[in-house]
Amino acid sequence: MKNVYFMRSIGIKNLQDKMTAQLGLTPEDFGIASSVFVNPMTLIPVQEIDRWYSLLDEKTQKPNIVLEYSRSIQLSQLGALGRWLFHNRDLVSTVRRVNVALGSLQSGGYLSASMTGTLIKWCYHNPNFSVAARVHDSVRVAIFMLKILREYLGDDFVPSRVMCTGKRSDDHLYEEYFGCKVEWNHSQTEVWFDSKVRQSPPRVSGAPRPNLAMSYHELDDYLNMPSADDHIKVVYEVINYISHDGLPTLERTAQIVGLSSQQLQRKLRAMNVNFTQMMGYVLSSVATKHLRNGVSVDDVSKLLGYENRISFERMFKKQRGITPTQYIKLHL
C-alpha cells in the first residue's frame, strides 16, 4: 500500500465557503461532499485535496483564486484550534506552536523555522501534491504564514523574501499582497523575516485572552491523525471519508489507497480483517455520533447510504451488540 496522507477540512474550508457564497458553486462541484466541511477536523485524503485544487482551475478559470479569496480570511475563523495556536506572548512562540501543530492538521508535510544570520526562514514543504496542485497549496500556506506575522507585526509588515513552488504569471498581484518580490519554482515555500522581531508581542497586547477550552469531542478529533504506515487506521479513515458520499465501496477505497480491489482485500486479510468488517466498524461509529445528536434511526440509515432501515439495523447490531433504538435509550 502506498503512503496515504490526510489534511483536515479546516485547511480549505474557509476558501471553499467563500467560493460557495460568491461563485454559486457547491463543494460537490469540486468533488467533495458538503458534509465533509460540517466538522472542520474531518480528515480528507491528500489525493482528494489534489483533485480539489485541479478542479479550482477547471471550474473557476481563475488561476489566482487562492490569493483572491484567501487574503480576506481571518485567523479568528479557525475557532478553538486558532485560540490555542495564537495564545502566545510573542511571535517566535507562535511560530514554534504552529510548526508543531501542523502534524495534527495534515500529514506528509512539515513546517520549520531556522535562523540564518539576521534572518529567520520559515519553510513549508509538502511533496505529496501533484505539480499542478502544489502551486495552489504553496500560495495558501504562504498567505497563512504572512497573516500570522502580521498578527504580531502589523498589517503593513513586509517580509524580507517570499518563495513559492510552481509558477504564476501575474507576479504583480502577489507582490502587491506580500509587499515584496515573490520568487517562483522553488522546492518549498519560504517566508523570511528579520530575527529582531521574534520577541514581538501580539498587536493588541494586554487585551482579554479568549477561553482556550476544547470539548472532549474536539480534542478527540484534533488528536486523530493516522500515521501513513498505520494501514488499518488509514483504511478506516479513508472509509470514513467516503461515507460522506454514501455507502463506501471496496473499489473506491482501493482507488484512494493506491491498490486494486484484490490487493486491498489481500492486505486486509493479512491484518486479520476484511472490508465488510472494516466498513461496518466505521459506519457504526459514524452512526453513534448521529444518534447522540438526535438524528432519527431512519435518517441515519439514509445518511449512511443504506437502501433500507433493516440493513442498517442489522449492521449496527452486529457491530455494537444492540439495535440503534436500544443504543439511544441506553446512552441518552
Side-chain angles (χ1 to χ4, degrees), residues 63-67 139 143 168-180 182 184:
N64 303 308
I65 192 167
V66 174
L67 173 67
V139 170
I143 291 173
R168 283 289 176 255
S169 57
D170 299 321
D171 287 8
H172 66 282
L173 296 176
Y174 296 86
E175 291 174 6
E176 175 187 341
Y177 176 71
F178 287 100
C180 65
V182 177
W184 301 93

Side-chain angles (χ1 to χ4, degrees), residues 147-167:
K147 286 180 184 293
I148 294 172
L149 294 174
R150 287 180 172 169
E151 190 73 16
Y152 285 81
L153 305 174
D155 292 333
D156 59 350
F157 167 74
V158 174
S160 302
R161 191 174 184 182
V162 172
M163 295 183 284
C164 293
T165 59
K167 175 62 178 170

Side-chain angles (χ1 to χ4, degrees), residues 179-190:
C180 65
K181 183 175 177 58
V182 177
E183 301 176 24
W184 301 93
N185 292 322
H186 284 266
S187 61
Q188 62 182 8
T189 308
E190 298 186 19

Side-chain angles (χ1 to χ4, degrees), residues 106-155:
Q106 66 181 73
S107 56
Y110 69 83
L111 275 166
S112 63
S114 61
M115 188 179 300
T116 303
T118 62
L119 291 172
I120 292 178
K121 299 179 181 180
W122 199 3
C123 306
Y124 167 74
H125 183 56
N126 193 337
N128 302 300
F129 286 109
S130 65
V131 173
R134 202 171 297 160
V135 62
H136 283 308
D137 191 59
S138 180
V139 170
R140 176 185 69 89
V141 175
I143 291 173
F144 175 65
M145 293 158 81
L146 183 63
K147 286 180 184 293
I148 294 172
L149 294 174
R150 287 180 172 169
E151 190 73 16
Y152 285 81
L153 305 174
D155 292 333

Side-chain angles (χ1 to χ4, degrees), residues 6-9 41-45 224-226 233 237 241:
F6 296 89
M7 180 188 292
R8 297 198 184 280
S9 68
M41 293 292 106
T42 298
L43 293 173
I44 307 174
N224 175 36
M225 176 61 76
K233 190 67 166 61
E237 292 301 343
Y241 167 76

Side-chain angles (χ1 to χ4, degrees), residues 14-16 18-20 22-23 25 30 52-73 136 139-140 143 168 170 173-174:
N14 293 319
L15 186 57
Q16 175 70 67
K18 282 190 173 293
M19 289 190 296
T20 300
Q22 298 183 24
L23 299 178
L25 296 168
F30 297 94
W52 184 86
Y53 277 134
S54 69
L55 287 171
L56 290 184
D57 295 325
E58 178 184 326
K59 297 288 185 179
T60 69
Q61 297 296 305
K62 293 182 174 185
N64 303 308
I65 192 167
V66 174
L67 173 67
E68 180 181 344
Y69 287 166
S70 293
R71 60 193 305 167
S72 61
I73 294 172
H136 283 308
V139 170
R140 176 185 69 89
I143 291 173
R168 283 289 176 255
D170 299 321
L173 296 176
Y174 296 86

